[in-house]
C-alpha cells in the first residue's frame, strides 16, 4: 500500500475557530483515512496541553505541537525541544517588565502576563482550551515559568521592532494579523515536524498532505507537495497551495480527503 501522512491544523481547519467541536463527518473521514492504512497527525501551533480533549480523544496517529517543538506518536514523545530555565526567565522578565500582553506556552503549563484582557478574555480562552493559565505576577512566578513558545500583542507604548530584535536571538516571529505575533524557536516549524516524521517512518515527502488556513500553516504548506487551503483562508497562503477545499463549516476536510482518494 502507498501509505500517506496527512497533517491537520486545528482552528479554521478541523474545527470552526475556538470551538473544539469536530463534525461527525470529519471524525468519520479521519477514522476512515487511518483504517485505510494512512497516518493522520495534528500539526498545530498549540502545545500539547493546548489541544482540547475533544480532539485528543479522536484517535489521531499523533501530534505535532508548538510549531514543530513537540512531536508525539500517539501521546508518546518522539521529539521535544525546550528552552533552559535562565532563557525562560530572561524572556518572561522582559515581557513582564515592559507590560506587554503575552501568553507563554509550555508542554504542560500556560502562563499570561500584561494586559491580555485588552485583546482576549482569558476566561474564554481557558474555556476554549480546557486548561487554566497561571498569571505571572511576581519575581517568583517569573523564575518558575517554563515554556517553549509564546504569543504577544504589539503594544502601543513601545516599538514592535525593538521587541522583535530582542527575540531574534532565540525565535522566529510570525505575524498572525491584528497586531498578534506568534513566536517560535529558531529552526522549528510545522515543516520541521513533517520532515522528522518522514524520516522516522521512511515515508517520502510526495506522500504527505497538509491542510491549513492561516500564516502559521505556511511552512508546512510550502514544504509538502500536496498543500490544501480551507475554503476560508488567509490570502497570504493561497499562492502556496495545490488545492483549495470547502470551508470548515461545510466539511472541507472530508472533501479534500475524497479529492485525493485518501478516503
Amino acid at each position: 500500500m502507498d501509505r500517506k501522512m496527512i497533517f491537520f491544523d486545528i482552528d479554521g481547519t478541523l474545527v470552526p475557530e475556538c470551538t473544539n467541536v469536530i463534525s461527525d463527518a470529519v471524525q468519520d473521514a479521519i477514522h476512515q483515512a487511518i483504517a485505510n492504512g494512512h497516518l493522520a497527525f495534528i500539526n498545530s501551533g498549540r502545545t500539547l496541553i493546548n489541544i482540547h480533549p475533544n480532539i485528543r480523544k479522536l484517535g489521531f496517529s499523533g501530534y505535532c505541537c508548538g510549531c514543530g517543538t513537540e512531536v508525539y506518536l500517539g501521546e508518546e514523545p518522539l521529539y521535544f525541544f525546550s528552552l533552559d530555565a535562565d532563557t525562560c526567565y530572561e524572556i518572561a522578565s522582559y515581557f513582564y517588565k515592559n507590560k506587554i500582553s503575552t501568553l507563554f506556552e509550555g508542554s504542560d503549563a500556560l502562563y499570561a502576563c500584561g494586559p491580555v484582557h485588552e485583546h482576549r478574555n482569558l476566561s474564554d480562552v481557558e474555556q476554549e482550551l480546557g486548561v487554566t493559565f497561571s498569571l505571572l505576577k511576581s519575581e517568583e512566578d517569573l523564575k518558575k515559568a517554563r515554556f517553549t513558545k509564546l504569543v504577544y500583542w504589539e503594544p502601543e507604548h513601545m516599538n514592535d521592532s525593538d521587541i522583535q530584535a530582542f527575540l531574534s536571538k532565540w525565535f522566529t516571529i510570525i505575524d498572525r494579523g491584528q497586531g498578534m505575533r506568534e513566536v517560535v524557536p529558531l529552526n522549528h516549524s510545522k515543516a520541521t515536524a513533517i520532515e522528522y516524521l518522514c524520516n522516522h517512518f521512511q515515508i517520502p515527502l510526495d506522500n504527505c498532505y497538509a491542510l491549513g488556513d492561516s500564516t502559521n500553516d505556511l511552512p508546512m504548506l510550502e514544504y509538502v507537495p500536496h498543500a490544501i487551503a480551507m475554503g476560508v483562508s488567509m490570502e497570504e497562503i493561497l499562492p502556496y497551495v495545490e488545492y483549495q477545499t470547502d470551508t470548515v463549516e461545510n466539511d472541507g476536510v472530508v472533501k479534500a480527503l475524497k479529492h485525493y482518494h485518501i478516503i
Side-chain angles (χ1 to χ4, degrees), residues 27-196:
Q27 292 184 46
D28 291 343
I30 292 165
H31 294 154
Q32 187 60 55
I34 294 171
N36 288 348
H38 306 301
L39 296 167
F41 283 86
I42 292 290
N43 199 348
S44 176
R46 301 186 191 186
T47 52
L48 188 63
I49 194 174
N50 272 332
I51 297 179
H52 196 278
N54 287 350
I55 296 169
R56 290 170 69 168
K57 72 182 182 183
L58 292 179
F60 282 93
S61 306
Y63 305 88
C64 306
C65 300
C67 290
T69 57
E70 307 170 26
V71 179
Y72 300 87
L73 183 59
E75 297 203 8
E76 292 298 315
L78 292 178
Y79 173 82
F80 185 82
F81 171 84
S82 61
L83 294 168
D84 62 70
D86 288 344
T87 300
C88 287
Y89 174 72
E90 181 179 353
I91 296 165
S93 296
Y94 177 88
F95 282 85
Y96 175 77
K97 291 172 182 175
N98 284 295
K99 297 180 173 60
I100 303 167
S101 301
T102 316
L103 302 178
F104 298 96
E105 302 172 69
S107 61
D108 55 7
L110 303 173
Y111 309 89
C113 79
V116 174
H117 64 276
E118 294 178 0
H119 309 277
R120 294 293 306 273
N121 184 310
L122 204 55
S123 295
D124 289 346
V125 176
E126 290 176 331
Q127 187 171 358
E128 290 163 11
L129 298 176
V131 294
T132 301
F133 283 83
S134 297
L135 300 180
L136 301 181
K137 300 185 293 184
S138 68
E139 185 73 11
E140 195 63 30
D141 293 338
L142 296 172
K143 290 178 179 178
K144 292 178 181 178
R146 297 291 182 272
F147 53 89
T148 53
K149 62 186 292 283
L150 57 131
V151 169
Y152 75 91
W153 284 267
E154 181 180 2
E156 295 181 357
H157 61 276
M158 61 187 297
N159 292 326
D160 190 45
S161 58
D162 293 335
I163 302 171
Q164 295 202 26
F166 167 77
L167 292 170
S168 63
K169 177 180 177 181
W170 308 282
F171 299 104
T172 299
I173 294 95
I174 303 169
D175 185 350
R176 296 295 303 275
Q178 298 181 326
M180 178 178 162
R181 308 285 185 261
E182 186 168 17
V183 182
V184 180
L186 294 170
N187 303 314
H188 290 84
S189 70
K190 292 187 177 185
T192 64
I194 294 173
E195 181 182 27
Y196 183 92

Side-chain angles (χ1 to χ4, degrees), residues 1-5 32-39 203-204 207 262:
M1 186 202 72
D2 197 18
R3 196 180 203 191
K4 297 175 172 56
M5 286 197 293
Q32 187 60 55
I34 294 171
N36 288 348
H38 306 301
L39 296 167
I203 291 176
N207 285 12
I262 292 168

